[in-house]
Amino acid sequence: MSGLLGLISFAALAAFSLLYLSASIPKKNEAIEKALSLIKQNVKFLGVACAAYGFVAFCLTPVLAPIPLDMFIRLVGNLVLIIMALPYCFAQFEAQLAPKLNGAILEEIKHIIGMITAQEKIVGFIGGIMTVTTFVFVFR
C-alpha cells in the first residue's frame, strides 16, 4: 500500500511540476505539449483530486512508511503536492466557504494562493526536486 501511495504522489507531483515549470520552457517537445494540454484540460479536477489525495496520503504516511527517512520524504512530498494543487482547487470552494469563514481568514488564504502563483517557478522547482526525490525513494 505504501508503494502505491508513493507512485500516485510521484505522478501527481510530476504533473503539477510540469504545469508550473511549463511557462519557463521556451521550446517544448511535442510530447510535453500533449501532456500539458491534457493536464490543462483537466486542471480543475486534478486540483481537487490531488489536494484531497495529498491530505489523505499525508495522514496515512506515518502509519504506512517503513523507514523514518521515507516517512519524512513522503510527508514533505505530499505537503508540496497540497501547496501546488491549492491554487487550482480553491476557486471551486471559495463560494461555499465565504459565508462560513471570517473575511480576514478568507483574504489571507487568497493572499497565500497569490504568493504561490506569483512564485510559480520556485514552487515548480521545489515540486521537481520532490518529484525526483520521491522517484528515488519509491523505486529503489
Side-chain angles (χ1 to χ4, degrees):
M1 179 81 169
S2 178
L4 180 63
L5 288 176
L7 184 63
I8 295 170
S9 295
F10 166 72
L13 279 169
F16 276 107
S17 296
L18 180 63
L19 185 64
Y20 274 86
L21 292 175
S22 66
S24 63
I25 302 172
K27 195 173 187 182
K28 298 174 188 78
N29 189 347
E30 184 180 329
I32 292 175
E33 285 290 339
K34 283 184 180 181
L36 278 173
S37 68
L38 182 66
I39 292 169
K40 287 179 182 177
Q41 288 172 359
N42 302 310
V43 75
K44 288 184 179 181
F45 172 74
L46 267 173
V48 173
C50 288
Y53 166 78
F55 179 73
V56 170
F58 185 84
C59 293
L60 287 177
T61 296
V63 176
L64 298 176
I67 302 170
L69 183 60
D70 283 350
M71 181 177 68
F72 176 74
I73 295 298
R74 290 176 188 210
L75 283 173
V76 172
N78 290 323
L79 186 62
V80 168
L81 179 60
I82 293 168
I83 291 170
M84 291 176 89
L86 190 61
Y88 297 102
C89 70
F90 181 71
Q92 296 176 354
F93 299 117
E94 184 178 1
Q96 299 166 352
L97 291 175
K100 298 175 185 174
L101 280 179
N102 186 347
I105 295 173
L106 196 60
E107 288 301 316
E108 281 301 315
I109 293 172
K110 289 179 186 178
H111 178 67
I112 290 169
I113 290 172
M115 287 184 354
I116 293 170
T117 55
Q119 303 295 330
E120 69 179 1
K121 288 182 182 178
I122 295 170
V123 173
F125 183 69
I126 292 169
I129 290 171
M130 287 312 303
T131 301
V132 171
T133 308
T134 303
F135 178 80
V136 168
F137 277 92
V138 168
F139 295 109
R140 62 182 166 115

